[in-house]
Amino acid sequence: MLSPVKLVEQFNAIERELPERWGTAQLRLTVADDGRCDRAAGLLGPANPGRRGKQIRLSAARGGGGVGPDGIRRLLRRLDQERIDGELELVASEEAAQAGLRARTKLADAWKEALAGLPPDWTDVYAEVRLESTDFLERAALLLSPVNPARYGGPTGFRFRCAKSFGYGASPEMVTRCFERCDDEGITGDVEVLRALSDTFPVGTQGPVWYVGGRSV
């Protein structure tokens, strides 16, 4: 008996048949085992899937606005690892927006741009990431956990500290890596440096302390 084709391989085959300038692809997954549908939908959660019986709908998007192809592959690989079989089909596709419309900046790139605007001798940063949707909150909190994010700045905001070489806060490289993980899963938003200090040198402390709303951060 032949083994079922893995879902990642099915998606790769679908992607190869898409037009060169495809922008979004609507997909339908029919789960083979009724008892695994809830688990499949849960594993696909970051893609905000819709479910009707054994069928789960999700979409892939290039250039922002949804989970990218690599993110979809990562999610489908979770199903393959748990041996959840099914048939993946292409329902519809649309071409990418015409050239001239600016693609949404990735979080990692937005972070690098924010740092590029700081003086060369910056040492400490207090920054905020504002997600495009509340649907991203739970997953983003997990992916950003190494930078110790705190909920501030509205319903979709996380704030965090970054230290260039020593002191309290994640390193710039760690922040970049966390944002890259968000980008891989299609999590979109904006990044802004709220406060920055230059040439600090803590003596007997972990670094400077900022107060926001009467609380130290």
Side-chain angles (χ1 to χ4, degrees):
M1 181 176 178
L2 295 176
S3 300
V5 178
K6 291 184 176 181
L7 295 174
V8 168
E9 295 175 3
Q10 293 183 48
F11 177 72
N12 290 339
I14 289 172
E15 188 180 24
R16 286 194 293 269
E17 297 300 319
L18 288 170
E20 182 179 353
R21 295 190 64 255
W22 74 274
T24 60
Q26 305 295 325
L27 307 168
R28 178 173 61 220
L29 171 63
T30 303
V31 181
D33 184 349
D34 290 355
R36 307 300 302 280
C37 292
D38 286 343
R39 180 58 177 164
L43 292 172
L44 294 171
N48 195 27
R51 179 185 167 191
R52 185 173 183 179
K54 295 176 62 174
Q55 294 185 340
I56 300 173
R57 285 181 175 259
L58 64 155
S59 63
R62 296 199 298 187
V67 179
D70 290 340
I72 292 294
R73 264 185 283 274
R74 183 171 301 177
L75 296 176
L76 292 174
R77 192 170 290 114
R78 297 177 183 175
L79 274 67
D80 288 335
Q81 290 172 345
E82 296 202 13
R83 298 184 180 180
I84 298 176
D85 301 323
E87 181 181 0
L88 189 66
E89 304 170 86
L90 176 67
V91 177
S93 66
E94 296 180 2
E95 286 195 356
Q98 304 211 348
L101 294 180
R102 182 177 178 274
R104 183 175 287 106
T105 302
K106 292 184 176 182
L107 290 175
D109 290 338
W111 168 244
K112 293 174 184 176
E113 290 176 9
L115 292 184
L118 297 177
D121 62 347
W122 76 269
T123 53
D124 300 271
V125 155
Y126 184 51
E128 178 176 287
V129 53
R130 293 180 293 273
L131 305 176
E132 192 172 66
S133 170
T134 54
D135 293 337
F136 296 144
L137 282 172
E138 184 175 348
R139 185 60 180 166
L142 178 61
L143 295 174
L144 294 172
S145 58
V147 306
N148 194 27
R151 287 295 309 279
Y152 284 103
T156 63
F158 287 108
R159 293 184 181 181
F160 60 93
R161 289 190 57 168
C162 172
K164 190 174 185 179
S165 56
F166 52 78
Y168 183 78
S171 68
E173 295 78 15
M174 175 58 74
V175 176
T176 299
R177 182 62 189 126
C178 289
F179 281 142
E180 287 173 344
R181 292 169 181 164
C182 291
D183 290 335
D184 289 343
E185 298 200 13
I187 296 174
T188 53
D190 296 308
V191 181
E192 180 184 2
V193 171
L194 302 177
R195 304 183 186 186
L197 294 175
S198 295
D199 200 24
T200 62
F201 189 81
V203 177
T205 69
Q206 290 185 318
V209 175
W210 284 296
Y211 285 90
V212 177
R215 297 172 55 187
S216 62
V217 297

